[in-house]
Amino acid sequence: MGKLFISTLFCVLLLTGEAFAGWYQVENYEGSIGAKPVHLSLQRYDSFGSGITVEGNYFYDAKQIPIAVYGKISGTSVSLCEIADDKEFERVLAIGKKTPVDITGCPFSLNVGKSGATGTWSKGADAYPVVLRKVASLDDTGEAKIDGTVEIPFWAETAAARFSGVYVNTSSGICMTKMLVIKKNSGKVVQKIPFDEDDCDAGMLMTSIYMNVEKGVERGKDIISVNFRGGGAGHTTDYVFNRATGKYQQRK
């Protein structure tokens, strides 16, 4: 979703080869909205700007379409708004609003505990209970910690696929060790793209962890860009979809 760019609002301005505390505090949940199974991933941060203190992504298991969310945390209470379209994504999450966000009327109202979250999703006359259990977490703000199998559902998507990063605590620290390409119509992983665990830089650049993989289009072809920390302001590696093989290949 969105253009291929690295906003100064969301990238590391100066990186060294030394270990440092990061900004990723992520919790992954599985559960349901009403009778529909869902997966939800939330990242907490002191401030993403405009008063936003949590950003995330969720999808209904049956559709596998990532839906970006943002909102505020107050104690154990979390209010989440949904991003409606690409223009709103650019304005609120990619570029950032200049005025405080208004979470009045946002669909998610959750109470988060140690093992999960409960609450409601409501829009208009529709209201459904939300029941979630925590299945994994990642925290690199101090001593690197990972619990469970951490898959980050990125905001990037194409018409046919969504993308998920597997994050692991390696000997070099926490990083994305592989990117999964997941077919929306089946929910199946159709490709696994590995990254160097020794360098441990993949998926660790942007302030919002869900923006470490971005999507663009060039000459009618889908381009997936993976963001890496290191080299000053970081760098990206592009992957182009090959219709003949049905796979993404690294662009040389």
Side-chain angles (χ1 to χ4, degrees), residues 2 10 25 30 56 65 69-70 85 127 140 151 200 204 234 251-252:
F10 291 93
Q25 288 182 293
E30 294 179 5
I65 298 173
V69 294
Y70 65 93
D85 52 37
D140 77 337
E151 283 191 27
C200 201
M204 299 297 290
R251 180 159 64 179
K252 305 299 183 181

Side-chain angles (χ1 to χ4, degrees), residues 55-69:
E55 294 185 347
N57 205 5
Y58 84 98
F59 59 87
Y60 290 93
D61 293 10
K63 294 186 177 181
Q64 299 287 316
I65 298 173
I67 302 171
V69 294

Side-chain angles (χ1 to χ4, degrees), residues 4-141:
L4 294 175
F5 69 96
I6 301 179
S7 168
T8 55
L9 292 175
F10 291 93
C11 69
V12 183
L13 296 181
L14 180 63
L15 294 174
T16 70
E18 300 176 358
F20 61 94
W23 42 55
Y24 297 143
Q25 288 182 293
V26 182
E27 294 178 339
N28 284 357
Y29 300 88
E30 294 179 5
S32 60
I33 298 176
K36 298 179 179 180
V38 296
H39 282 70
L40 170 70
S41 180
L42 295 178
Q43 179 189 348
R44 303 184 184 208
Y45 194 58
D46 289 342
S47 176
F48 290 99
S50 305
I52 296 172
T53 55
V54 59
E55 294 185 347
N57 205 5
Y58 84 98
F59 59 87
Y60 290 93
D61 293 10
K63 294 186 177 181
Q64 299 287 316
I65 298 173
I67 302 171
V69 294
Y70 65 93
K72 296 181 180 181
I73 296 177
S74 177
T76 61
S77 298
V78 181
S79 297
L80 295 174
C81 310
E82 296 179 359
I83 292 293
D85 52 37
D86 287 355
K87 288 185 178 180
E88 186 180 11
F89 179 88
E90 293 284 331
R91 178 172 55 86
V92 177
L93 298 181
I95 298 173
K97 283 173 57 64
K98 295 181 179 180
T99 57
V101 296
D102 181 7
I103 60 172
T104 304
C106 289
F108 281 99
S109 179
L110 302 176
N111 185 64
V112 179
K114 291 183 178 180
S115 60
T118 58
T120 58
W121 181 99
S122 60
K123 186 176 292 186
D126 297 325
Y128 302 97
V130 179
V131 180
L132 303 167
R133 63 184 180 91
K134 186 165 68 173
V135 294
S137 63
L138 177 159
D139 189 339
D140 77 337
T141 58

